[in-house]
Amino acid sequence: MNKTIIININGIVFHIEEDAYEILKNYMTDVKRHFLNSADSLEITTDIENRIAEMFNELLAHEGKQVIVEQDVNTVISQMGTVADFEKSEQETEPNFSDTYNNNNNSRRLFRDPDDHLVAGVAAGIANYFDIQVAWIRLAFALTILAGGMGFLLYIILWIVVPKAVTRADKMAMKGEKLNLEGFKRNFEQELGSVHQNFSDFKNKARPFVYKARDFSGDLAHHLGNFIKGFANVFIKFIGVLILLACFGFLVFFIVAFIAFISVGHFIPFPVPAEILRHHNPNTIFISAFLAAIIPLISIIMLVLKGIFRVGSVNRSTGTTVLAIWLCAIGVFVFQVIGIVSEFRSHASVVESIALKPTKNNTYYIKLNELKYFTAGDSARLDIKNLSPNIKITDDDDNDFESFNHRNIHLDIEASDSNQPSLTESYRARGPFYEAALANARDIKYQFTQQDTVLKFDQRYYGKTDEPWHDEEVYLTLKLPKNAKVVVDHEVGRFVDFNIGECNEVNKKDYNKVTDATFVITDNGLQCKVDTLVTDTIIRKHLPIDSTKIKVK
């Protein structure tokens, strides 16, 4: 049986054995004597007593006891360190408080820092726990609040859950400092040095909260500025890469187009018939257009490389020379284009009617004339007369102007007011003035032949030899008696305004096997001739055909 006494350590009551009390009393006497000459010995000893009280509470709770025994006191003293050991350590080595403060590897505890706070000290406490600058934590909270408000909710939760560092031991544990005599003394001297520094700088600072708010705002603005600056640099370089890729793509495209125009006279993406430019210095137009297109592209590439990537440079003389070349190219191109456009300012037309021979069975076959027409000069030049009678020269020229020529021939079939078939030919052309346009229209030659029931239409028109193109057009109107049967060949389909394929679809005819379509001249004009065998089937299937306009034969 041991005698126990009741002691009070800073307001906390403990039951302690008498022997343990003597040891604790001697230890605290040594501590108070050691710190007697310190600047604030009472504060240091009070903090040490608070820490000893916390350690006693932890021991009693851990072991489930109610009385402090001698072993408990020795355990606490060993952890706190004796005064003799602490004095011996001070004599052997002068401690570097700042290094010890900043480079200790003790475990840290999460508290809210009351000495470095803007709201509740949550950010400062997290920064102390992870040993990083508090500005980064505050910046992270600010960004998450701006992003969606989750940072605000997280801050409130941590404010409620994380305890506040009230005692010196809490603050030391928050920063990972040793909770012994050496640690308390160093912490106190660190704090005392900070107080002296604050007093010396007080005349340059406002109230503590304002100062901290200013520092936080400055840090936040600085880091946000660095972030925005870095992001802007990356974004600008990304845009620069896109601009360079686009410019290089256009540059390759224009080089290919230039080579195509110079070599073969045409380029598919630019459907300009060579016949239009043949008499207007085409190579000059191609070169000037090429220079007018690529010089801005090269200039943009150089500006992007210099302005964004800091690569390459162009001196003033070179830039001036390139600008002069570009302006000259623009001037030449505009001059040539104006010259071409001036050739199409006026238009005129010539109309000619041809009487056709009626057929006995009132049937007409519309076909394409495959023979090539030669002028007298062409016949002499090519020595056509000396060719064998069995040789035929077909008009199968498939150059660009030929296909362009096809689009300018239009054939329409209408009902005649009499039993006399006829063909009306209307020639239209343009020129720099009306007289020239009329002369160009008169120069148009179109070949049409009738062989009994067969009407042959040429696939192109002819003008004067080596004359420039002036938007010549040929409009053919074939007028046939009513109830006449018209068999139109598929090759003529490129000229006519009606669809031959649709007529064969109505009659269920295979387009690959049937080369023509049959029509009938009615009061409403040209109508598809529908076979009687398929008429009922068409009506039942509701095909898009107006049965009132179908003439059944």
Side-chain angles (χ1 to χ4, degrees):
M1 179 180 300
N2 295 325
K3 182 180 179 181
T4 63
I5 59 177
I6 299 176
I7 62 174
N8 183 343
I9 304 178
N10 289 338
I12 302 176
V13 177
F14 294 97
H15 294 272
I16 185 172
E17 291 183 352
E18 187 175 7
D19 296 338
Y21 171 74
E22 292 297 331
I23 297 175
L24 179 60
K25 179 181 178 182
N26 294 333
Y27 176 75
M28 290 304 303
T29 301
D30 293 339
V31 170
K32 291 179 180 180
R33 185 181 65 252
H34 177 78
F35 291 105
L36 182 63
N37 296 324
S38 298
D40 197 344
S41 60
L42 179 60
E43 183 179 353
I44 297 178
T45 55
T46 301
D47 290 333
I48 294 174
E49 288 179 354
N50 287 335
R51 177 55 185 165
I52 292 174
E54 291 178 0
M55 297 175 70
F56 282 153
N57 277 330
E58 293 174 358
L59 287 174
L60 294 176
H62 179 70
E63 298 180 4
K65 302 186 301 182
Q66 296 182 355
V67 179
I68 299 173
V69 298
E70 183 178 348
Q71 182 181 357
D72 298 332
V73 174
N74 292 329
T75 301
V76 170
I77 292 175
S78 64
Q79 294 181 10
M80 293 294 294
T82 63
V83 175
D85 294 337
F86 177 53
E87 292 176 346
K88 181 179 180 181
S89 176
E90 283 184 330
Q91 294 175 358
E92 291 178 353
T93 305
E94 183 67 22
N96 190 329
F97 298 124
S98 60
D99 292 343
T100 305
Y101 180 77
N102 291 322
N103 298 315
N104 61 77
N105 296 319
N106 296 330
S107 60
R108 298 169 182 254
R109 294 175 61 187
L110 183 59
F111 288 95
R112 291 187 286 114
D113 192 349
D115 298 329
D116 184 12
H117 68 90
L118 292 177
V119 180
V122 173
I126 295 175
N128 285 319
Y129 184 79
F130 291 103
D131 195 18
I132 58 177
Q133 293 184 2
V134 67
W136 294 109
I137 305 300
R138 289 169 178 166
L139 178 61
F141 274 115
L143 293 178
T144 53
I145 290 174
L146 295 176
M150 291 299 298
F152 178 76
L153 180 60
L154 179 60
Y155 192 93
I156 296 299
I157 295 174
L158 292 175
W159 190 350
I160 298 173
V161 174
V162 178
K164 181 179 180 181
V166 178
T167 65
R168 184 182 301 274
D170 293 340
K171 298 176 182 179
M172 294 173 62
M174 177 180 65
K175 299 178 181 180
E177 299 181 34
K178 294 180 179 180
L179 299 178
N180 53 20
L181 296 179
E182 181 181 357
F184 276 102
K185 183 176 182 179
R186 289 176 178 175
N187 180 268
F188 178 77
E189 292 181 354
Q190 285 282 340
E191 182 179 312
L192 188 61
S194 299
V195 171
H196 288 311
Q197 183 65 30
N198 290 336
F199 274 110
S200 64
D201 297 337
F202 183 77
K203 62 180 180 179
N204 298 323
K205 300 178 182 179
R207 293 176 300 167
F209 177 79
V210 176
Y211 169 68
K212 294 175 183 178
R214 185 196 65 182
D215 288 346
F216 172 72
S217 300
D219 291 341
L220 179 61
H222 175 72
H223 293 297
L224 281 177
N226 290 337
F227 173 77
I228 294 174
K229 183 178 179 180
F231 177 78
N233 289 334
V234 174
F235 181 75
I236 291 174
K237 289 185 178 180
F238 175 74
I239 296 298
V241 171
L242 294 182
I243 294 174
L244 290 178
L245 292 177
C247 290
F248 279 117
F250 280 113
L251 188 62
V252 173
F253 174 79
F254 285 127
I255 291 175
V256 173
F258 176 72
I259 295 174
F261 276 122
I262 292 295
S263 58
V264 298
H266 66 89
F267 185 54
I268 294 177
F270 296 124
V272 180
E275 191 66 21
I276 298 179
L277 305 177
R278 185 162 60 91
H279 297 272
H280 297 86
N281 302 318
N283 288 341
T284 302
I285 295 176
F286 297 150
I287 294 173
S288 61
F290 176 70
L291 292 177
I294 67 165
I295 289 178
L297 290 177
I298 296 176
S299 301
I300 293 174
I301 292 174
M302 296 299 296
L303 288 175
V304 171
L305 291 176
K306 176 64 177 178
I308 297 179
F309 299 99
R310 303 292 188 269
V311 177
S313 62
V314 178
N315 55 45
R316 180 173 296 181
S317 60
T318 303
T320 304
T321 303
V322 173
L323 178 60
I325 294 174
W326 182 68
L327 293 176
C328 291
I330 291 290
V332 172
F333 179 77
V334 171
F335 176 78
Q336 294 293 334
V337 171
I338 292 176
I340 295 175
V341 173
S342 64
E343 295 289 332
F344 298 86
R345 287 184 296 184
S346 300
H347 62 86
S349 62
V350 177
V351 180
E352 181 181 358
S353 295
I354 302 174
L356 303 181
K357 296 178 181 179
T359 60
K360 295 181 181 180
N361 55 1
N362 205 20
T363 301
Y364 299 86
Y365 294 88
I366 311 297
K367 293 182 178 293
L368 188 68
N369 186 13
E370 296 180 352
L371 297 180
K372 188 174 182 64
Y373 171 77
F374 293 99
T375 62
D378 292 334
S379 298
R381 178 171 54 85
L382 299 174
D383 196 15
I384 301 298
K385 294 181 179 180
N386 294 328
L387 294 177
S388 172
N390 297 326
I391 295 178
K392 294 183 179 180
I393 301 177
T394 59
D395 191 4
D396 57 355
D397 191 7
D398 194 24
N399 56 36
D400 288 338
F401 180 65
E402 195 67 26
S403 60
F404 187 77
N405 201 325
H406 292 161
R407 296 195 299 270
N408 285 13
I409 299 178
H410 312 277
L411 174 60
D412 189 19
I413 302 177
E414 300 177 353
S416 176
D417 296 335
S418 63
N419 293 328
Q420 175 62 44
S422 63
L423 177 66
T424 301
E425 298 177 342
S426 176
Y427 305 132
R428 303 179 185 180
R430 289 183 174 271
F433 46 89
Y434 176 77
E435 290 77 5
L438 183 61
N440 293 330
R442 287 177 177 176
D443 290 338
I444 298 175
K445 305 298 180 183
Y446 183 78
Q447 299 301 313
F448 163 78
T449 59
Q450 179 182 9
Q451 298 175 355
D452 194 15
T453 60
V454 179
L455 307 179
K456 289 188 176 182
F457 293 86
D458 217 358
Q459 64 178 342
R460 58 171 297 177
Y461 60 82
Y462 301 88
K464 283 187 177 181
T465 304
D466 200 30
E467 280 292 316
W469 179 77
H470 290 97
D471 194 20
E472 291 88 348
E473 290 185 297
V474 177
Y475 289 88
L476 305 173
T477 303
L478 179 62
K479 297 183 178 181
L480 299 177
K482 294 180 181 179
N483 298 324
K485 184 171 69 173
V486 184
V487 182
V488 183
D489 190 79
H490 282 175
E491 293 294 331
V492 188
R494 68 184 72 175
F495 303 148
V496 297
D497 296 332
F498 50 88
N499 196 317
I500 298 175
E502 289 183 357
C503 184
N504 286 334
E505 289 180 2
V506 170
N507 290 299
K508 304 300 181 182
K509 292 182 179 181
D510 189 355
Y511 177 84
N512 296 322
K513 296 180 180 179
V514 180
T515 60
D516 53 39
T518 303
F519 296 85
V520 177
I521 302 296
T522 67
D523 293 336
N524 297 320
L526 190 68
Q527 300 293 331
C528 177
K529 182 178 181 298
V530 181
D531 292 339
T532 307
L533 296 177
V534 300
T535 302
D536 295 337
T537 304
I538 294 172
I539 295 175
R540 286 196 301 271
K541 291 186 176 180
H542 303 287
L543 291 178
I545 294 179
D546 190 349
S547 61
T548 61
K549 296 182 180 180
I550 298 178
K551 186 71 174 181
V552 181
K553 294 289 184 178

